[in-house]
Amino acid sequence: MDNSVLKRIGQRVRDLRKERNLSQEQLGELAGVHFSYIGGLERGQKNISLLNLDKIAQSLDVPLSELFLYGRHLKRTIKSGKEELINEIHESLMSLNESDLKKLQRLIEELFTK
């Protein structure tokens, strides 16, 4: 089994945890999982469930999508106002159904293509 995605997600979690000066124990406590689970995740040894990944994202105070930005290796200790706003809009859009997204797309086109 190719576990490269597990290693990349694990590295991303490690990077974000260290940016926040959290130990594995502290992150585990915040997320409600054992610290050894965090260690296994960071080493790419745990095939983490989406529910646990969401708990970890919440504990790191980032949107779930942030954990999948491993390819960019973003080092953001402080996000700019624009980046934060884009993340908030993205999270809001993810909860909309396809019909509402199409309506929003038409509205955006109407507002910004003139």
Side-chain angles (χ1 to χ4, degrees), residues 35-104:
F35 73 89
S36 63
Y37 184 81
I38 300 294
L41 166 66
E42 290 182 356
R43 291 187 299 276
Q45 297 171 334
K46 295 289 183 189
N47 191 1
I48 188 168
S49 73
L50 287 174
L51 294 175
N52 282 341
L53 201 58
D54 187 51
K55 288 180 190 177
I56 289 170
Q58 289 178 26
S59 299
L60 292 168
D61 196 30
V62 297
L64 181 59
S65 60
E66 184 82 12
L67 299 181
F68 295 94
L69 297 178
Y70 50 77
R72 298 182 191 176
H73 296 288
L74 300 175
K75 296 285 185 181
R76 293 187 206 163
T77 53
I78 301 174
K79 292 183 181 178
S80 73
K82 183 177 178 180
E83 289 171 328
E84 187 65 34
L85 185 56
I86 289 170
N87 281 336
E88 289 175 21
I89 291 169
H90 179 260
E91 288 296 310
S92 297
L93 292 174
M94 293 303 292
S95 67
L96 296 178
N97 62 41
E98 187 175 350
S99 173
D100 289 339
L101 284 170
K102 287 179 181 178
K103 290 175 191 173
L104 184 58

Side-chain angles (χ1 to χ4, degrees), residues 22-38:
L22 293 172
S23 67
Q24 290 179 345
E25 291 85 1
Q26 290 168 319
L27 179 56
E29 187 175 315
L30 289 169
V33 298
H34 197 270
F35 73 89
S36 63
Y37 184 81
I38 300 294

